[in-house]
Amino acid sequence: MRGAIATGVGSWPGTDPREAAATIVGELGDLPHVVELPGRGVGADLIGRACALLVDLPFDSTTRGYRFAPHPGAVARRARDLLRTDLDALEEAWETAGLSGAGRVIKVQAAGPLTLAAQVELSGGHRVLTDPGAVRDLSESLAEGLAQHVAEVRKRLGAQVVLQLDEPSLTAVLDGSLGGVSVLNTVRAVPGPEALAILDAVITGQSVSVLVHSCAEPPALALLQRSAAAAVGFDLATIGTDELDGIGETLEAGKQLVLGVVPTAAPATSVTWRDYAEPGVRLVDRLGFGRKTLADRVSVSPTCGLAGASLEWGRKALRLCTEVARAYAEEPEELSFS
């Protein structure tokens, strides 16, 4: 990944994959992405989409979410059908925009192994995270499925691919705050080195650059900066004084940052790109990095997925991200705020 570009996190409002794909390809010229439309229901959300990518691990749904099953059920078929529909819509939008075979960059995203292990259940109802052998099986299956997914998208579009792993549950996995099936069945905190090994096993199994995104509050920057990921993305509004050193160390480790700066809901007052450019500028200034860092190492996104936004705000949010990224690319030294 390069700096000073705009992208989305993944999810989008509505249920029309063709409209969504056309919008994302049109609004995010530098780094569009495969759209997730959780409004379509079971199988279309972050966890259902990732389960659809698993190889030889059948799953079904429960009243609480998703669970491994002896055989693929209707939910698994639906999730995979929705994924194929989304890829068909993206391929059509890509061709319509004249991008086929042009070697442009596209981002695909899926839940990372730790979040998936935290949210999917074993047949007995316990989280996969409670069984180290099951975690290993899930991670291997996910790594293989992601590699196949990346290859298919690359072939369909004639594009370069960046992979985003979403880890919203990472902080809860590390601090042991996930609930068990009852108050007597707790879920242990996963030690940092163990969690890092699980995450890196999936990252290093890919042939493309990997971005790890987390909208947890706060993001687990101490772990992410040590990971094999090329880039780390997070909601900048979740960053406090305690996290500043972690951001500096992430930059010093040579990683790119994707700063979530535009909110997922429309603000009550009128805003411009300057309102959302300022926090990133103040961040690099406070850390003591030159403003050129914004052009070379920092990209921009909404703070999280936009599934809960109105279509109007979703489009405006992407345009604001693009305008902030352009300002970082073209005139970082000239940006000033009263």
Side-chain angles (χ1 to χ4, degrees):
M1 287 182 60
R2 59 186 178 86
I5 58 175
T7 191
V9 172
S11 69
W12 187 252
T15 60
D16 186 338
R18 295 177 69 184
E19 178 185 27
T23 300
I24 294 299
V25 170
E27 296 288 351
L28 295 172
D30 288 321
L31 190 57
H33 57 88
V34 179
V35 182
E36 297 165 3
L37 297 172
R40 292 176 296 183
V42 64
D45 59 305
L46 175 68
I47 304 302
R49 170 58 52 87
C51 286
L53 295 169
L54 295 175
V55 176
D56 296 330
L57 278 181
F59 68 97
D60 210 332
S61 65
T62 73
T63 55
R64 293 190 297 271
Y66 297 92
R67 178 179 293 183
F68 287 158
H71 307 286
V75 169
R77 290 190 293 272
R78 184 173 194 271
R80 292 183 177 115
D81 286 345
L82 289 171
L83 175 56
R84 282 192 292 270
T85 297
D86 291 349
L87 293 182
D88 289 344
L90 174 62
E91 187 174 6
E92 179 181 323
W94 205 254
E95 291 175 354
T96 300
L99 301 177
S100 296
R104 297 287 290 276
V105 184
I106 186 80
K107 178 164 68 68
V108 303
Q109 59 278 327
L114 294 160
T115 290
L116 204 56
Q119 299 303 324
V120 176
E121 297 177 353
L122 299 165
S123 58
H126 295 277
R127 298 178 192 266
V128 171
L129 196 64
T130 63
D131 183 333
V135 172
R136 182 175 59 253
D137 291 344
L138 180 147
S139 298
E140 292 174 354
S141 175
L142 179 63
E144 183 178 351
L146 286 170
Q148 293 176 4
H149 182 48
V150 165
E152 179 181 0
V153 172
R154 182 192 290 124
K155 182 178 179 180
R156 277 182 178 240
L157 306 185
Q160 300 179 58
V161 179
V162 170
L163 171 62
Q164 174 181 305
L165 295 178
D166 289 306
E167 287 285 9
S169 299
L170 177 55
T171 298
V173 167
L174 294 172
D175 65 21
S177 60
L178 293 166
V181 293
S182 74
V183 293
L184 299 177
N185 297 109
T186 59
V187 180
R188 72 181 179 98
V190 178
E194 182 180 333
L196 182 62
I198 293 167
L199 180 61
D200 275 353
V202 174
I203 293 174
T204 57
Q206 309 307 310
S207 62
V208 296
S209 293
V210 176
L211 153 68
V212 178
H213 175 268
S214 179
C215 51
E217 188 173 343
L221 292 174
L223 183 142
L224 293 177
Q225 67 93 4
R226 298 196 307 273
S227 75
V232 174
F234 51 87
D235 175 357
L236 187 51
T238 66
I239 298 301
T241 303
D242 291 345
E243 285 73 53
L244 290 177
D245 286 346
I247 296 176
E249 290 168 1
T250 301
L251 285 168
E252 288 172 351
K255 299 187 189 303
Q256 301 285 117
L257 297 183
V258 181
L259 300 182
V261 295
V262 177
T264 58
T269 58
S270 178
V271 292
T272 71
W273 65 266
R274 294 183 63 84
D275 296 294
Y276 300 124
E278 181 177 358
V281 174
R282 295 199 183 281
L283 175 69
V284 297
D285 285 351
R286 186 172 182 180
L287 292 173
F289 288 89
R291 290 279 184 90
K292 194 172 184 297
T293 302
L294 293 167
D296 295 342
R297 306 275 298 284
V298 176
S299 293
V300 178
S301 76
T303 55
C304 204
L306 292 167
S310 67
L311 283 170
E312 179 183 8
W313 176 250
R315 294 187 184 99
K316 185 169 184 179
L318 297 186
R319 291 177 192 136
L320 287 166
C321 286
T322 298
E323 289 168 357
V324 172
R326 184 179 301 121
Y328 287 176
E330 295 177 353
E331 50 186 49
E333 298 293 344
E334 306 302 318
L335 293 172
S336 62
F337 307 92
S338 57

